[in-house]
Amino acid sequence: MIHRLADCMCDNIPESTNIWQFCVVFPNAKIGENCNICSHCLIENEVKIGNNCTIKCGVQIWDGIELEDNVMIGANCTFTNDLYPRAKNKDWKLLTTKICKGASIGAGSTILPGITIGSHAMIGAGSVITKNIPKNTLWMGNPAQMKGYITKDNKTLDLQFRDKDGNVHDNSEINY
């Protein structure tokens, strides 16, 4: 479903994907099945969005950004694709960013360009990501710091593999 107030110039949107009002989708964007792209989003041409992704309101996905399957992007998350932006710079260099399967990025986070966020990683709301993030890890802050791990059952563990009740978990629960 493409909302009648969206400006969707892309002809390849699957029927199972929802694009809500006031979104702009450029003609060459690639968007997968069963995605939900909420209002006031912009998706440029050289973008790949996998299946089952959710992009909340007010997110711009610029050229060079790839979201694999089952990625969640919180409201007003900011992506960048140029490490040294200048107005009218004809020599700018596009840096690519990859958000791997199952990763979640909290609302209001900023992601610098040229970064990979590993599978099933979780970024806390308002965080600033300045470097690659390993899979199954929890990061928060500005600049973001690793605060723990995410298990295959989506339990949050601290840096000593303890859950909120103090139970220690096996390392194999985060290496999947």
Side-chain angles (χ1 to χ4, degrees), residues 53-118:
C53 291
T54 297
I55 302 170
K56 298 305 273 183
C57 301
V59 176
Q60 294 82 40
I61 310 288
W62 307 112
D63 286 341
I65 296 171
E66 177 181 358
L67 309 181
E68 291 186 342
D69 295 345
N70 303 304
V71 166
M72 164 66 184
I73 306 295
N76 299 307
C77 186
T78 300
F79 287 92
T80 58
N81 63 2
D82 185 355
L83 196 54
Y84 302 102
R86 296 280 186 228
K88 310 268 187 217
N89 181 5
K90 65 182 181 344
D91 298 322
W92 80 283
K93 181 179 179 187
L94 174 70
L95 296 175
T96 60
T97 298
K98 185 175 187 177
I99 313 302
C100 296
K101 67 180 180 176
S104 293
I105 301 175
S109 293
T110 299
I111 313 301
L112 292 186
I115 287 175
T116 297
I117 295 178

Side-chain angles (χ1 to χ4, degrees), residues 28-52:
N28 296 325
K30 293 177 177 58
I31 301 174
E33 297 280 346
N34 200 34
C35 292
N36 191 34
I37 300 171
C38 297
S39 66
H40 297 90
C41 289
L42 179 135
I43 300 171
E44 278 195 315
N45 275 313
E46 302 302 318
V47 169
K48 295 178 189 170
I49 298 173
N51 299 317
N52 305 308

